[in-house]
Structure formats: structure tokens, C-alpha cells
């Protein structure tokens, strides 16, 4: 069994409120939302963070970005939103599995 909680969500070992899934990508609602729309978009394959992507990952990263855009079109008022990824503990990364936060539905400074 993986120790990575997002790998465990991918494997169906932990529950999640899934909003999108395909062969490579999973998107689910953040358990502790910071905005009315707070969705995490992850590769199903374990990649630690954006800090460890390889050139082979470029197509996957492009598909993740496109998927974020599609999910946001459906869910974010005015198609306005924020996308964040944290790399490393000192910059707020608490789960060591690459994830993009899609945040929307409120005003950000
Ligand atoms: P980070 O701080 O690493 O950028 O973001 C991790 C995010 O994952 C946090 O916003 C946190 O609320 C969310 N999170 C942590 N554990 C779980 C979980 O088990 N399920 C879901 N849906 N979100 C989680
Ligand atoms: Zn993982």
C-alpha cells in the first residue's frame, strides 16, 4: 500500500469527491477548501512536485493544464480563477504528490 495519500485516492483506497477522471488525470475537491471552488488536479502517476518533472512529462503537463481550463470553464464564475502549485515544505507543499489547486468563486487580492 502506498504511503502517499494522493496515490491512495487514485487507487480508491481513500474516498474523494471526484470531479474528473481519465487514464492519466484525477481532479477532486479539496478536503479543506480555501474558496467556494477548490479543486485539486493531479497526475495519477506519482510525481513528487513540479520540481521533479522530466521532459517526458511535458505532454502530461499540457493535458493537465488543458483539463484545469476545462474544469474552470464549468465551475468558476466569469471564468476567472487562480491556479497554484506549491513546491517544497517552505513554500507550503504538504502533500508530496504533484497537484494544482484550482481556486475560484471569490475575490483574491
Ligand atoms: P499543499 O499544501 O500540498 O499545496 O496542498 C495539499 C492540499 O491537499 C491541501 O489544500 C489539503 O487541504 C488537501 N488535502 C490533504 N489531504 C487530503 C485528503 O485526504 N483529501 C482531499 N480531498 N484533500 C486533501
Ligand atoms: Zn503519490
Amino acid at each position: 500500500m502506498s504511503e502517499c495519500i494522493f496515490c491512495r485516492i487514485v487507487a480508491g483506497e481513500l474516498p474523494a469527491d471526484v470531479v474528473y477522471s481519465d487514464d492519466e488525470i484525477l481532479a477532486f475537491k479539496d478536503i479543506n477548501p480555501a474558496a467556494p471552488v477548490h479543486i485539486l488536479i493531479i497526475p495519477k502517476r506519482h510525481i513528487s512536485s513540479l520540481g521533479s518533472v522530466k521532459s517526458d512529462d511535458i505532454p502530461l503537463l499540457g493535458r493537465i493544464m488543458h483539463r484545469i481550463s476545462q474544469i474552470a470553464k464549468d465551475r468558476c464564475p466569469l471564468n476567472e480563477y487562480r491556479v497554484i502549485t506549491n513546491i517544497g515544505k517552505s513554500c507550503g507543499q504538504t502533500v508530496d504528490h504533484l497537484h494544482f489547486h484550482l481556486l475560484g468563486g471569490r475575490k483574491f487580492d
Side-chain angles (χ1 to χ4, degrees), residues 5-6 9 14-17 28-33 38 40 84-86 91-97 99 101:
I5 54 171
F6 287 178
I9 287 173
L14 291 176
D17 193 343
F28 52 97
K29 293 185 182 174
D30 196 291
I31 204 167
N32 185 23
H38 190 169
L40 302 173
I84 293 173
T85 189
N86 296 318
C91 289
Q93 185 176 7
T94 59
V95 178
D96 289 337
H97 181 130
H99 53 281
H101 297 257

Side-chain angles (χ1 to χ4, degrees), residues 7 43-54 57 60-61 64 93 95-99:
C7 281
K44 287 190 170 176
R45 178 161 58 82
H46 184 90
I47 298 173
S48 297
S49 78
L50 196 64
S52 58
V53 297
K54 308 224 167 18
D57 300 322
L60 170 63
L61 291 168
I64 290 173
Q93 185 176 7
V95 178
D96 289 337
H97 181 130
L98 175 62
H99 53 281

